[in-house]
Amino acid sequence: MRTVFLTALVAAAVAAPQLPVPAPGGTGKEGVAEVTEEVLQQVMPDAAVPVGAELASGVGLVLARFGPYRPTATAVTYRPDLVPNRALVAVARASVAGRTGVLLVTEGLVPNRQYGAHVHVRPCGPAPADAGPHYQNRRDPQQPSTDPQYANPENEVWLDFTTDARGRGLTATTVDWVFRDHRPRSVVLHETHTQTEPGSAGMAGARLACVTVWF
């Protein structure tokens, strides 16, 4: 089981030593951990955060393998040709000082290919649409949201990436807000990078796969 690539990157980015980390394919955990300045700088490189800062919402980490939908599945693939069964995925989140960093790491996808990815409002289900729309800090009253005023990487969490020659992907983003009571429940992988034009902003093609998260 090739987990070294994923676990090393996730640990370096957000996970403190005492954070409970689930085994691949297991249930995600969430807990409050002591996060050092070095760890925070990995997730939020331009953030000036003192050592030992109190976390606004703790740290979240999910590590799983993609597979067909089942009620207990953490990571679901709807297109095994583009997101193969047993491909690895890790999603990590740290929130501190009014900011949120999210990291997405994948292994075993199609080499040298672009993927879109966003945080969505509902958990994964048997159908790609079950994850609902994108999580928005300021919610667009018109849904589905394609207005760049709302559908943009500052108001949503966009995690587009391109895999390397071995099918590995790594992406991270930081937003200047924290998830509130209506917390997101999934990260969805899409077939293209995200569009930004009016009328199509936020769109990234078909939903290929979904990861249920505990943000």
Side-chain angles (χ1 to χ4, degrees), residues 105-176:
V105 186
T106 60
E107 185 178 89
L109 302 186
V110 177
N112 302 313
R113 191 186 193 286
Q114 293 185 351
Y115 290 84
H118 315 108
V119 171
H120 285 245
V121 300
R122 293 199 289 269
C124 309
D130 291 339
H134 296 178
Y135 181 95
Q136 295 182 322
N137 183 47
R138 294 183 303 111
R139 190 174 186 276
D140 187 347
Q142 182 68 41
Q143 296 290 329
S145 178
T146 57
D147 181 350
Q149 181 178 351
Y150 297 94
N152 63 67
E154 288 75 41
N155 192 48
E156 302 181 346
V157 178
W158 294 8
L159 293 159
D160 293 1
F161 63 96
T162 300
T163 55
D164 65 13
R166 297 172 61 185
R168 303 182 301 186
L170 168 65
T171 182
T173 191
T174 303
V175 291
D176 292 327

Short mmCIF file of all heavy atoms in Angstrom, two decimals, residues 105-176:
data_model
loop_
_atom_site.label_atom_id
_atom_site.label_comp_id
_atom_site.label_asym_id
_atom_site.label_seq_id
_atom_site.Cartn_x
_atom_site.Cartn_y
_atom_site.Cartn_z
N VAL A 105 -4.42 16.02 -1.88
CA VAL A 105 -3.35 15.20 -2.44
C VAL A 105 -3.96 13.94 -3.02
O VAL A 105 -4.83 13.32 -2.40
CB VAL A 105 -2.31 14.81 -1.36
CG1 VAL A 105 -1.13 14.10 -1.99
CG2 VAL A 105 -1.84 16.02 -0.58
N THR A 106 -3.52 13.57 -4.24
CA THR A 106 -4.04 12.35 -4.88
C THR A 106 -2.88 11.53 -5.42
O THR A 106 -1.81 12.05 -5.73
CB THR A 106 -4.99 12.69 -6.04
OG1 THR A 106 -4.28 13.48 -7.02
CG2 THR A 106 -6.21 13.47 -5.56
N GLU A 107 -3.14 10.25 -5.58
CA GLU A 107 -2.16 9.34 -6.19
C GLU A 107 -2.92 8.24 -6.91
O GLU A 107 -3.91 7.71 -6.39
CB GLU A 107 -1.25 8.73 -5.13
CG GLU A 107 -0.13 7.88 -5.71
CD GLU A 107 0.79 7.33 -4.63
OE1 GLU A 107 0.48 6.24 -4.13
OE2 GLU A 107 1.77 7.99 -4.28
N GLY A 108 -2.47 7.91 -8.13
CA GLY A 108 -3.11 6.84 -8.89
C GLY A 108 -4.13 7.31 -9.90
O GLY A 108 -4.90 6.50 -10.43
N LEU A 109 -4.15 8.63 -10.20
CA LEU A 109 -5.07 9.14 -11.22
C LEU A 109 -4.41 9.04 -12.60
O LEU A 109 -3.31 8.52 -12.74
CB LEU A 109 -5.44 10.59 -10.92
CG LEU A 109 -6.09 10.86 -9.56
CD1 LEU A 109 -6.54 12.32 -9.47
CD2 LEU A 109 -7.26 9.94 -9.31
N VAL A 110 -5.10 9.52 -13.63
CA VAL A 110 -4.55 9.50 -14.99
C VAL A 110 -3.36 10.45 -15.05
O VAL A 110 -3.45 11.60 -14.61
CB VAL A 110 -5.63 9.94 -16.00
CG1 VAL A 110 -5.05 10.00 -17.40
CG2 VAL A 110 -6.82 8.98 -15.95
N PRO A 111 -2.22 10.00 -15.57
CA PRO A 111 -1.04 10.87 -15.61
C PRO A 111 -1.22 12.08 -16.52
O PRO A 111 -1.94 12.02 -17.53
CB PRO A 111 0.06 9.94 -16.17
CG PRO A 111 -0.43 8.56 -15.90
CD PRO A 111 -1.93 8.63 -16.01
N ASN A 112 -0.57 13.17 -16.15
CA ASN A 112 -0.51 14.38 -16.97
C ASN A 112 -1.88 14.86 -17.41
O ASN A 112 -2.10 15.21 -18.57
CB ASN A 112 0.39 14.14 -18.19
CG ASN A 112 1.79 13.71 -17.81
OD1 ASN A 112 2.41 14.30 -16.93
ND2 ASN A 112 2.28 12.67 -18.45
N ARG A 113 -2.79 14.92 -16.47
CA ARG A 113 -4.16 15.32 -16.80
C ARG A 113 -4.63 16.41 -15.85
O ARG A 113 -4.32 16.40 -14.67
CB ARG A 113 -5.12 14.12 -16.70
CG ARG A 113 -6.48 14.42 -17.30
CD ARG A 113 -7.48 13.29 -17.07
NE ARG A 113 -8.65 13.47 -17.91
CZ ARG A 113 -9.61 14.38 -17.68
NH1 ARG A 113 -9.54 15.17 -16.62
NH2 ARG A 113 -10.64 14.50 -18.50
N GLN A 114 -5.43 17.35 -16.39
CA GLN A 114 -6.02 18.40 -15.57
C GLN A 114 -7.29 17.89 -14.89
O GLN A 114 -8.09 17.18 -15.51
CB GLN A 114 -6.36 19.62 -16.42
CG GLN A 114 -5.16 20.34 -16.98
CD GLN A 114 -5.56 21.61 -17.72
OE1 GLN A 114 -6.73 21.88 -17.95
NE2 GLN A 114 -4.57 22.41 -18.08
N TYR A 115 -7.46 18.27 -13.64
CA TYR A 115 -8.68 17.99 -12.88
C TYR A 115 -9.12 19.29 -12.19
O TYR A 115 -8.29 20.09 -11.76
CB TYR A 115 -8.44 16.94 -11.80
CG TYR A 115 -8.18 15.53 -12.32
CD1 TYR A 115 -6.90 15.14 -12.70
CD2 TYR A 115 -9.21 14.60 -12.40
CE1 TYR A 115 -6.65 13.86 -13.17
CE2 TYR A 115 -8.98 13.31 -12.86
CZ TYR A 115 -7.70 12.94 -13.25
OH TYR A 115 -7.45 11.68 -13.71
N GLY A 116 -10.42 19.48 -12.09
CA GLY A 116 -10.96 20.53 -11.25
C GLY A 116 -11.36 19.93 -9.91
O GLY A 116 -11.58 18.72 -9.81
N ALA A 117 -11.45 20.74 -8.89
CA ALA A 117 -11.88 20.24 -7.58
C ALA A 117 -12.41 21.41 -6.76
O ALA A 117 -11.84 22.51 -6.80
CB ALA A 117 -10.73 19.55 -6.85
N HIS A 118 -13.50 21.17 -6.04
CA HIS A 118 -14.12 22.20 -5.21
C HIS A 118 -14.68 21.57 -3.95
O HIS A 118 -14.99 20.38 -3.93
CB HIS A 118 -15.28 22.89 -5.94
CG HIS A 118 -14.98 23.27 -7.36
ND1 HIS A 118 -15.55 22.61 -8.43
CD2 HIS A 118 -14.17 24.22 -7.86
CE1 HIS A 118 -15.10 23.15 -9.55
NE2 HIS A 118 -14.26 24.13 -9.24
N VAL A 119 -14.86 22.38 -2.94
CA VAL A 119 -15.57 21.96 -1.73
C VAL A 119 -17.06 22.14 -1.96
O VAL A 119 -17.50 23.19 -2.43
CB VAL A 119 -15.09 22.79 -0.52
CG1 VAL A 119 -15.96 22.53 0.70
CG2 VAL A 119 -13.63 22.47 -0.21
N HIS A 120 -17.85 21.11 -1.61
CA HIS A 120 -19.30 21.11 -1.82
C HIS A 120 -20.04 21.01 -0.49
O HIS A 120 -19.45 20.70 0.53
CB HIS A 120 -19.70 19.96 -2.75
CG HIS A 120 -19.36 20.20 -4.19
ND1 HIS A 120 -20.32 20.33 -5.17
CD2 HIS A 120 -18.17 20.35 -4.82
CE1 HIS A 120 -19.74 20.54 -6.35
NE2 HIS A 120 -18.43 20.55 -6.16
N VAL A 121 -21.36 21.24 -0.54
CA VAL A 121 -22.12 21.42 0.70
C VAL A 121 -22.68 20.13 1.30
O VAL A 121 -23.01 20.09 2.48
CB VAL A 121 -23.28 22.42 0.50
CG1 VAL A 121 -22.76 23.78 0.08
CG2 VAL A 121 -24.31 21.89 -0.52
N ARG A 122 -22.80 19.07 0.50
CA ARG A 122 -23.40 17.84 1.02
C ARG A 122 -22.45 16.66 0.85
O ARG A 122 -21.54 16.70 0.02
CB ARG A 122 -24.73 17.56 0.31
CG ARG A 122 -25.80 18.58 0.64
CD ARG A 122 -27.19 18.06 0.32
NE ARG A 122 -27.43 17.98 -1.12
CZ ARG A 122 -27.95 18.96 -1.85
NH1 ARG A 122 -28.27 20.11 -1.30
NH2 ARG A 122 -28.16 18.79 -3.15
N PRO A 123 -22.65 15.60 1.62
CA PRO A 123 -21.77 14.43 1.49
C PRO A 123 -21.99 13.70 0.17
O PRO A 123 -22.97 13.92 -0.53
CB PRO A 123 -22.17 13.55 2.69
CG PRO A 123 -23.55 13.99 3.04
CD PRO A 123 -23.64 15.44 2.70
N CYS A 124 -21.06 12.83 -0.16
CA CYS A 124 -21.15 12.05 -1.39
C CYS A 124 -22.33 11.10 -1.33
O CYS A 124 -22.70 10.60 -0.26
CB CYS A 124 -19.86 11.26 -1.59
SG CYS A 124 -18.35 12.23 -1.47
N GLY A 125 -22.90 10.82 -2.49
CA GLY A 125 -24.01 9.88 -2.58
C GLY A 125 -23.84 8.99 -3.79
O GLY A 125 -22.81 9.02 -4.47
N PRO A 126 -24.86 8.18 -4.09
CA PRO A 126 -24.75 7.27 -5.23
C PRO A 126 -24.69 8.00 -6.58
O PRO A 126 -24.19 7.45 -7.55
CB PRO A 126 -26.01 6.41 -5.12
CG PRO A 126 -26.93 7.16 -4.23
CD PRO A 126 -26.07 7.96 -3.30
N ALA A 127 -25.21 9.23 -6.64
CA ALA A 127 -25.17 10.02 -7.87
C ALA A 127 -24.24 11.21 -7.70
O ALA A 127 -24.15 11.78 -6.61
CB ALA A 127 -26.57 10.49 -8.24
N PRO A 128 -23.55 11.63 -8.77
CA PRO A 128 -22.63 12.76 -8.65
C PRO A 128 -23.28 14.03 -8.12
O PRO A 128 -22.65 14.79 -7.37
CB PRO A 128 -22.13 12.95 -10.09
CG PRO A 128 -22.27 11.61 -10.71
CD PRO A 128 -23.50 11.01 -10.11
N ALA A 129 -24.54 14.27 -8.47
CA ALA A 129 -25.22 15.51 -8.05
C ALA A 129 -25.55 15.53 -6.57
O ALA A 129 -25.91 16.59 -6.04
CB ALA A 129 -26.49 15.70 -8.87
N ASP A 130 -25.43 14.40 -5.88
CA ASP A 130 -25.83 14.33 -4.47
C ASP A 130 -25.00 15.24 -3.57
O ASP A 130 -25.45 15.62 -2.48
CB ASP A 130 -25.75 12.89 -3.96
CG ASP A 130 -26.80 11.99 -4.57
OD1 ASP A 130 -27.82 12.51 -5.07
OD2 ASP A 130 -26.60 10.76 -4.57
N ALA A 131 -23.79 15.62 -4.01
CA ALA A 131 -22.94 16.48 -3.19
C ALA A 131 -23.42 17.93 -3.17
O ALA A 131 -22.90 18.73 -2.40
CB ALA A 131 -21.50 16.42 -3.69
N GLY A 132 -24.41 18.26 -3.99
CA GLY A 132 -24.95 19.61 -3.98
C GLY A 132 -24.02 20.62 -4.61
O GLY A 132 -23.01 20.29 -5.23
N PRO A 133 -24.31 21.92 -4.42
CA PRO A 133 -23.51 22.98 -5.02
C PRO A 133 -22.22 23.24 -4.24
O PRO A 133 -21.98 22.65 -3.19
CB PRO A 133 -24.44 24.19 -4.96
CG PRO A 133 -25.28 23.94 -3.74
CD PRO A 133 -25.50 22.45 -3.70
N HIS A 134 -21.43 24.15 -4.77
CA HIS A 134 -20.20 24.56 -4.08
C HIS A 134 -20.54 25.25 -2.76
O HIS A 134 -21.53 25.97 -2.66
CB HIS A 134 -19.41 25.57 -4.93
CG HIS A 134 -18.91 25.02 -6.22
ND1 HIS A 134 -18.22 25.79 -7.13
CD2 HIS A 134 -19.00 23.78 -6.76
CE1 HIS A 134 -17.90 25.05 -8.17
NE2 HIS A 134 -18.36 23.83 -7.98
N TYR A 135 -19.67 25.04 -1.77
CA TYR A 135 -19.77 25.84 -0.55
C TYR A 135 -19.35 27.26 -0.89
O TYR A 135 -18.32 27.49 -1.54
CB TYR A 135 -18.86 25.28 0.54
CG TYR A 135 -18.96 26.05 1.84
CD1 TYR A 135 -19.81 25.64 2.85
CD2 TYR A 135 -18.20 27.20 2.04
CE1 TYR A 135 -19.91 26.35 4.04
CE2 TYR A 135 -18.29 27.92 3.22
CZ TYR A 135 -19.15 27.49 4.21
OH TYR A 135 -19.25 28.21 5.38
N GLN A 136 -20.15 28.24 -0.46
CA GLN A 136 -19.83 29.66 -0.67
C GLN A 136 -19.87 30.39 0.66
O GLN A 136 -20.81 30.22 1.43
CB GLN A 136 -20.82 30.30 -1.64
CG GLN A 136 -20.75 29.73 -3.05
CD GLN A 136 -21.71 30.40 -4.02
OE1 GLN A 136 -22.84 30.74 -3.66
NE2 GLN A 136 -21.26 30.60 -5.25
N ASN A 137 -18.85 31.20 0.89
CA ASN A 137 -18.85 32.02 2.09
C ASN A 137 -20.00 33.02 2.05
O ASN A 137 -20.70 33.22 3.04
CB ASN A 137 -17.50 32.74 2.21
CG ASN A 137 -17.38 33.56 3.46
OD1 ASN A 137 -17.70 33.10 4.56
ND2 ASN A 137 -16.93 34.80 3.34
N ARG A 138 -20.17 33.68 0.92
CA ARG A 138 -21.34 34.53 0.66
C ARG A 138 -22.18 33.80 -0.38
O ARG A 138 -21.77 33.66 -1.53
CB ARG A 138 -20.93 35.91 0.14
CG ARG A 138 -20.18 36.77 1.13
CD ARG A 138 -19.88 38.14 0.56
NE ARG A 138 -19.13 38.07 -0.69
CZ ARG A 138 -19.61 38.39 -1.89
NH1 ARG A 138 -20.86 38.81 -2.01
NH2 ARG A 138 -18.85 38.30 -2.96
N ARG A 139 -23.33 33.33 0.02
CA ARG A 139 -24.12 32.47 -0.86
C ARG A 139 -24.84 33.28 -1.94
O ARG A 139 -25.52 34.27 -1.66
CB ARG A 139 -25.14 31.67 -0.05
CG ARG A 139 -25.82 30.57 -0.86
CD ARG A 139 -26.71 29.71 0.02
NE ARG A 139 -27.24 28.58 -0.71
CZ ARG A 139 -28.32 28.63 -1.47
NH1 ARG A 139 -28.99 29.76 -1.59
NH2 ARG A 139 -28.74 27.56 -2.12
N ASP A 140 -24.67 32.84 -3.16
CA ASP A 140 -25.35 33.44 -4.30
C ASP A 140 -26.84 33.12 -4.19
O ASP A 140 -27.22 31.95 -4.10
CB ASP A 140 -24.78 32.85 -5.59
CG ASP A 140 -25.30 33.55 -6.84
OD1 ASP A 140 -26.28 34.31 -6.75
OD2 ASP A 140 -24.71 33.31 -7.91
N PRO A 141 -27.72 34.15 -4.20
CA PRO A 141 -29.16 33.86 -4.14
C PRO A 141 -29.68 33.15 -5.38
O PRO A 141 -30.75 32.54 -5.35
CB PRO A 141 -29.79 35.25 -3.98
CG PRO A 141 -28.77 36.19 -4.52
CD PRO A 141 -27.44 35.57 -4.21
N GLN A 142 -28.90 33.22 -6.47
CA GLN A 142 -29.29 32.54 -7.71
C GLN A 142 -28.48 31.26 -7.85
O GLN A 142 -27.26 31.30 -7.99
CB GLN A 142 -29.03 33.45 -8.92
CG GLN A 142 -29.44 32.87 -10.26
CD GLN A 142 -30.94 32.72 -10.40
OE1 GLN A 142 -31.69 33.61 -10.00
NE2 GLN A 142 -31.38 31.62 -10.96
N GLN A 143 -29.16 30.12 -7.79
CA GLN A 143 -28.49 28.83 -7.91
C GLN A 143 -29.04 28.07 -9.12
O GLN A 143 -30.22 28.15 -9.41
CB GLN A 143 -28.72 28.00 -6.64
CG GLN A 143 -28.10 28.60 -5.39
CD GLN A 143 -26.59 28.53 -5.38
OE1 GLN A 143 -25.99 27.61 -5.94
NE2 GLN A 143 -25.96 29.53 -4.78
N PRO A 144 -28.18 27.36 -9.89
CA PRO A 144 -26.74 27.20 -9.66
C PRO A 144 -25.99 28.49 -9.90
O PRO A 144 -26.36 29.30 -10.76
CB PRO A 144 -26.35 26.11 -10.65
CG PRO A 144 -27.37 26.21 -11.74
CD PRO A 144 -28.65 26.61 -11.07
N SER A 145 -24.94 28.69 -9.16
CA SER A 145 -24.20 29.94 -9.16
C SER A 145 -23.17 29.94 -10.28
O SER A 145 -22.25 29.11 -10.30
CB SER A 145 -23.51 30.14 -7.81
OG SER A 145 -22.76 31.33 -7.82
N THR A 146 -23.30 30.88 -11.22
CA THR A 146 -22.31 31.06 -12.29
C THR A 146 -21.89 32.53 -12.41
O THR A 146 -21.30 32.93 -13.41
CB THR A 146 -22.86 30.57 -13.64
OG1 THR A 146 -24.08 31.27 -13.94
CG2 THR A 146 -23.12 29.07 -13.61
N ASP A 147 -22.21 33.32 -11.40
CA ASP A 147 -21.86 34.74 -11.36
C ASP A 147 -20.48 34.87 -10.72
O ASP A 147 -20.30 34.47 -9.56
CB ASP A 147 -22.91 35.49 -10.55
CG ASP A 147 -22.64 36.99 -10.46
OD1 ASP A 147 -21.55 37.44 -10.85
OD2 ASP A 147 -23.53 37.70 -9.97
N PRO A 148 -19.49 35.44 -11.44
CA PRO A 148 -18.14 35.55 -10.86
C PRO A 148 -18.09 36.34 -9.56
O PRO A 148 -17.11 36.23 -8.81
CB PRO A 148 -17.35 36.27 -11.96
CG PRO A 148 -18.11 36.02 -13.22
CD PRO A 148 -19.56 35.94 -12.81
N GLN A 149 -19.13 37.12 -9.26
CA GLN A 149 -19.15 37.83 -7.99
C GLN A 149 -19.22 36.85 -6.82
O GLN A 149 -18.75 37.15 -5.72
CB GLN A 149 -20.36 38.78 -7.95
CG GLN A 149 -20.45 39.60 -6.67
CD GLN A 149 -21.63 40.55 -6.67
OE1 GLN A 149 -22.29 40.74 -7.69
NE2 GLN A 149 -21.90 41.16 -5.53
N TYR A 150 -19.82 35.68 -7.05
CA TYR A 150 -19.94 34.66 -6.02
C TYR A 150 -19.11 33.42 -6.35
O TYR A 150 -18.51 32.82 -5.45
CB TYR A 150 -21.40 34.24 -5.86
CG TYR A 150 -22.31 35.35 -5.39
CD1 TYR A 150 -23.02 36.14 -6.29
CD2 TYR A 150 -22.47 35.61 -4.03
CE1 TYR A 150 -23.86 37.16 -5.86
CE2 TYR A 150 -23.31 36.63 -3.58
CZ TYR A 150 -23.99 37.40 -4.51
OH TYR A 150 -24.82 38.40 -4.06
N ALA A 151 -19.12 33.02 -7.61
CA ALA A 151 -18.39 31.83 -8.04
C ALA A 151 -16.96 32.22 -8.39
O ALA A 151 -16.62 32.48 -9.55
CB ALA A 151 -19.08 31.18 -9.23
N ASN A 152 -16.13 32.30 -7.37
CA ASN A 152 -14.73 32.69 -7.54
C ASN A 152 -13.90 32.04 -6.44
O ASN A 152 -14.45 31.60 -5.42
CB ASN A 152 -14.59 34.22 -7.53
CG ASN A 152 -15.01 34.83 -6.21
OD1 ASN A 152 -14.35 34.64 -5.19
ND2 ASN A 152 -16.11 35.59 -6.21
N PRO A 153 -12.59 31.95 -6.61
CA PRO A 153 -11.76 31.23 -5.63
C PRO A 153 -11.56 31.95 -4.31
O PRO A 153 -10.98 31.37 -3.39
CB PRO A 153 -10.43 31.07 -6.37
CG PRO A 153 -10.41 32.15 -7.38
CD PRO A 153 -11.83 32.35 -7.80
N GLU A 154 -12.05 33.20 -4.18
CA GLU A 154 -12.00 33.88 -2.89
C GLU A 154 -13.24 33.62 -2.06
O GLU A 154 -13.20 33.66 -0.82
CB GLU A 154 -11.84 35.40 -3.09
CG GLU A 154 -10.47 35.82 -3.57
CD GLU A 154 -10.25 35.52 -5.04
OE1 GLU A 154 -11.19 35.74 -5.83
OE2 GLU A 154 -9.15 35.05 -5.39
N ASN A 155 -14.37 33.31 -2.72
CA ASN A 155 -15.64 33.06 -2.04
C ASN A 155 -15.95 31.57 -1.93
O ASN A 155 -16.82 31.16 -1.16
CB ASN A 155 -16.79 33.76 -2.78
CG ASN A 155 -18.08 33.80 -1.98
OD1 ASN A 155 -18.08 34.15 -0.80
ND2 ASN A 155 -19.18 33.42 -2.61
N GLU A 156 -15.28 30.76 -2.72
CA GLU A 156 -15.41 29.31 -2.70
C GLU A 156 -14.03 28.71 -2.46
O GLU A 156 -13.03 29.44 -2.38
CB GLU A 156 -15.98 28.80 -4.03
CG GLU A 156 -17.33 29.38 -4.40
CD GLU A 156 -17.88 28.84 -5.69
OE1 GLU A 156 -17.12 28.22 -6.48
OE2 GLU A 156 -19.07 29.05 -5.96
N VAL A 157 -13.96 27.39 -2.36
CA VAL A 157 -12.67 26.71 -2.22
C VAL A 157 -12.42 25.93 -3.50
O VAL A 157 -13.07 24.91 -3.77
CB VAL A 157 -12.66 25.77 -0.99
CG1 VAL A 157 -11.32 25.04 -0.90
CG2 VAL A 157 -12.91 26.56 0.29
N TRP A 158 -11.50 26.44 -4.32
CA TRP A 158 -11.12 25.79 -5.57
C TRP A 158 -9.78 25.11 -5.39
O TRP A 158 -8.83 25.69 -4.84
CB TRP A 158 -11.02 26.81 -6.70
CG TRP A 158 -12.34 27.45 -7.08
CD1 TRP A 158 -13.54 27.34 -6.45
CD2 TRP A 158 -12.56 28.32 -8.20
NE1 TRP A 158 -14.50 28.09 -7.09
CE2 TRP A 158 -13.93 28.70 -8.17
CE3 TRP A 158 -11.74 28.83 -9.20
CZ2 TRP A 158 -14.48 29.55 -9.13
CZ3 TRP A 158 -12.28 29.68 -10.15
CH2 TRP A 158 -13.65 30.03 -10.12
N LEU A 159 -9.69 23.85 -5.89
CA LEU A 159 -8.49 23.04 -5.69
C LEU A 159 -8.06 22.37 -7.00
O LEU A 159 -7.68 21.19 -7.02
CB LEU A 159 -8.74 21.99 -4.61
CG LEU A 159 -8.96 22.54 -3.19
CD1 LEU A 159 -9.69 21.53 -2.31
CD2 LEU A 159 -7.63 22.95 -2.56
N ASP A 160 -8.13 23.10 -8.11
CA ASP A 160 -7.71 22.55 -9.40
C ASP A 160 -6.26 22.08 -9.34
O ASP A 160 -5.43 22.67 -8.66
CB ASP A 160 -7.85 23.60 -10.49
CG ASP A 160 -9.29 24.00 -10.77
OD1 ASP A 160 -10.21 23.47 -10.12
OD2 ASP A 160 -9.49 24.84 -11.66
N PHE A 161 -5.96 21.03 -10.11
CA PHE A 161 -4.58 20.53 -10.14
C PHE A 161 -4.35 19.77 -11.45
O PHE A 161 -5.29 19.46 -12.19
CB PHE A 161 -4.30 19.60 -8.95
CG PHE A 161 -5.13 18.34 -8.92
CD1 PHE A 161 -4.66 17.14 -9.43
CD2 PHE A 161 -6.41 18.36 -8.37
CE1 PHE A 161 -5.42 15.98 -9.40
CE2 PHE A 161 -7.19 17.20 -8.33
CZ PHE A 161 -6.70 16.02 -8.85
N THR A 162 -3.09 19.53 -11.74
CA THR A 162 -2.68 18.72 -12.89
C THR A 162 -1.77 17.62 -12.38
O THR A 162 -0.80 17.89 -11.65
CB THR A 162 -1.93 19.57 -13.94
OG1 THR A 162 -2.81 20.62 -14.39
CG2 THR A 162 -1.52 18.72 -15.13
N THR A 163 -2.06 16.38 -12.73
CA THR A 163 -1.26 15.26 -12.25
C THR A 163 0.10 15.23 -12.95
O THR A 163 0.28 15.74 -14.05
CB THR A 163 -1.98 13.93 -12.50
OG1 THR A 163 -2.31 13.84 -13.89
CG2 THR A 163 -3.24 13.83 -11.67
N ASP A 164 1.05 14.59 -12.28
CA ASP A 164 2.37 14.42 -12.88
C ASP A 164 2.40 13.13 -13.71
O ASP A 164 1.36 12.49 -13.92
CB ASP A 164 3.46 14.43 -11.81
CG ASP A 164 3.37 13.26 -10.83
OD1 ASP A 164 2.63 12.28 -11.10
OD2 ASP A 164 4.06 13.31 -9.79
N ALA A 165 3.57 12.74 -14.16
CA ALA A 165 3.70 11.57 -15.03
C ALA A 165 3.35 10.27 -14.33
O ALA A 165 3.14 9.25 -14.99
CB ALA A 165 5.13 11.50 -15.59
N ARG A 166 3.27 10.30 -13.00
CA ARG A 166 2.91 9.11 -12.23
C ARG A 166 1.47 9.18 -11.72
O ARG A 166 1.05 8.35 -10.93
CB ARG A 166 3.88 8.94 -11.07
CG ARG A 166 5.31 8.70 -11.51
CD ARG A 166 6.29 8.72 -10.35
NE ARG A 166 6.01 7.68 -9.36
CZ ARG A 166 6.67 7.55 -8.22
NH1 ARG A 166 7.66 8.39 -7.93
NH2 ARG A 166 6.36 6.60 -7.38
N GLY A 167 0.72 10.16 -12.17
CA GLY A 167 -0.69 10.25 -11.77
C GLY A 167 -0.90 10.84 -10.40
O GLY A 167 -1.96 10.67 -9.80
N ARG A 168 0.09 11.57 -9.89
CA ARG A 168 -0.01 12.17 -8.56
C ARG A 168 -0.38 13.65 -8.68
O ARG A 168 0.06 14.34 -9.61
CB ARG A 168 1.31 12.04 -7.80
CG ARG A 168 1.78 10.60 -7.66
CD ARG A 168 3.06 10.50 -6.85
NE ARG A 168 4.14 11.26 -7.45
CZ ARG A 168 5.40 11.24 -6.99
NH1 ARG A 168 5.71 10.51 -5.93
NH2 ARG A 168 6.34 11.95 -7.59
N GLY A 169 -1.18 14.13 -7.76
CA GLY A 169 -1.58 15.53 -7.76
C GLY A 169 -1.46 16.14 -6.37
O GLY A 169 -1.65 15.46 -5.36
N LEU A 170 -1.14 17.42 -6.33
CA LEU A 170 -1.03 18.14 -5.07
C LEU A 170 -1.50 19.56 -5.30
O LEU A 170 -1.06 20.23 -6.24
CB LEU A 170 0.43 18.15 -4.59
CG LEU A 170 0.77 19.10 -3.44
CD1 LEU A 170 0.03 18.69 -2.17
CD2 LEU A 170 2.27 19.14 -3.20
N THR A 171 -2.41 20.04 -4.45
CA THR A 171 -2.90 21.41 -4.56
C THR A 171 -3.33 21.89 -3.19
O THR A 171 -3.72 21.09 -2.33
CB THR A 171 -4.08 21.50 -5.55
OG1 THR A 171 -4.52 22.84 -5.68
CG2 THR A 171 -5.24 20.64 -5.09
N ALA A 172 -3.24 23.18 -2.97
CA ALA A 172 -3.66 23.77 -1.71
C ALA A 172 -4.13 25.19 -1.97
O ALA A 172 -3.71 25.84 -2.92
CB ALA A 172 -2.52 23.76 -0.69
N THR A 173 -5.02 25.67 -1.12
CA THR A 173 -5.51 27.03 -1.23
C THR A 173 -5.82 27.57 0.16
O THR A 173 -6.02 26.80 1.10
CB THR A 173 -6.75 27.12 -2.13
OG1 THR A 173 -7.05 28.49 -2.42
CG2 THR A 173 -7.97 26.49 -1.46
N THR A 174 -5.85 28.88 0.26
CA THR A 174 -6.19 29.54 1.51
C THR A 174 -7.23 30.62 1.24
O THR A 174 -7.12 31.34 0.25
CB THR A 174 -4.95 30.20 2.14
OG1 THR A 174 -3.94 29.20 2.34
CG2 THR A 174 -5.29 30.83 3.48
N VAL A 175 -8.25 30.69 2.09
CA VAL A 175 -9.27 31.73 1.97
C VAL A 175 -9.32 32.53 3.27
O VAL A 175 -8.95 32.03 4.33
CB VAL A 175 -10.66 31.14 1.66
CG1 VAL A 175 -10.69 30.57 0.25
CG2 VAL A 175 -11.04 30.07 2.68
N ASP A 176 -9.78 33.75 3.16
CA ASP A 176 -9.77 34.67 4.31
C ASP A 176 -11.06 34.58 5.13
O ASP A 176 -11.64 35.60 5.49
CB ASP A 176 -9.54 36.10 3.83
CG ASP A 176 -8.15 36.30 3.27
OD1 ASP A 176 -7.21 35.64 3.77
OD2 ASP A 176 -7.99 37.10 2.33
#
